[in-house]
Amino acid sequence: MNLLFEGKTCYLRTLTVEDAEDMVQILVKNRDYWAIYEPRHRDSYFTIAVQREKIRESIYQARENREYSFGIFSHDGNQLIGHISIYSIKRLPFLSALVGYSMDEEFIGRGIASEAVRLITAFGFEQLRLHRVEAYVAPDNIGSLRVLEKAGFEQEGLLKQFLFINGEWKDHYYYALLEQDF
């Protein structure tokens, strides 16, 4: 199942096993930057073999309609500059899913992540027929807070000591966008 969503600043494309090497490059390049807000990974995570397996698993999850993972690509040179997923897809009575994303540090501050979130949210509402799309974000992750707000998400609350990241429990804001507000 190959999906492609075009935007003005980027496009989203489902990853294939052929993308594993590019995925390793972006993971290694942003290892320290992404570790600020995400759990650290073992060294084996940064290998082509593990990334191929993760991509294969994401393809299976998409076939089962459980989650969809995409690479975020620049129009200039078709370079992989991030990744984004819509996951934990729940059917009635919820009709909801979570969105998560990471951008290459070199490309932040250009509106690309906001557009990627809008593209995947449109997919969630228009093709997956969801009622709400949700996201979690650390209160000190100012860039990600802006991304969600520019994409139309609203803060609904604070989840105390929600995620265990790098040795400590971190609070996270709970954001959501409803179908009728999209």
Side-chain angles (χ1 to χ4, degrees), residues 2 18 26 29 34 40 64 80 87 94 103 132:
N2 270 345
E18 290 79 20
I26 193 172
K29 179 181 176 188
W34 287 347
R40 288 201 179 267
E64 296 295 312
L80 179 65
Y87 62 99
F94 300 102
M103 282 295 301
R132 58 187 284 130

Side-chain angles (χ1 to χ4, degrees), residues 48-155:
I48 292 173
V50 167
Q51 291 308 309
R52 272 193 196 118
E53 191 52 41
K54 288 187 64 53
I55 291 169
R56 283 188 192 105
E57 176 63 19
S58 73
I59 292 166
Y60 171 78
Q61 293 291 337
R63 282 190 196 126
E64 296 295 312
N65 201 33
R66 291 189 189 134
E67 79 177 47
Y68 295 84
S69 297
F70 300 89
I72 303 170
F73 293 87
S74 69
H75 285 300
D76 310 341
N78 299 314
Q79 178 184 358
L80 179 65
I81 59 172
H83 59 87
I84 189 165
S85 298
I86 190 163
Y87 62 99
S88 293
I89 297 170
K90 297 178 187 148
R91 294 289 152 208
L92 282 174
F94 300 102
L95 286 180
S96 66
L98 289 164
V99 65
Y101 49 88
S102 296
M103 282 295 301
D104 184 329
E105 185 176 18
E106 183 182 332
F107 292 87
I108 62 171
R110 301 182 192 181
I112 298 169
S114 295
E115 181 173 60
V117 169
R118 284 191 294 272
L119 288 169
I120 204 166
T121 301
F123 170 65
F125 290 132
E126 295 167 3
Q127 294 185 37
L128 300 179
R129 300 288 186 224
L130 299 175
H131 175 66
R132 58 187 284 130
V133 177
E134 306 163 347
Y136 305 127
V137 62
D140 60 344
N141 191 344
I142 304 303
S144 196
L145 294 172
R146 278 197 216 114
V147 163
L148 291 171
E149 289 167 1
K150 281 174 61 178
F153 284 68
E154 292 183 17
Q155 183 184 322

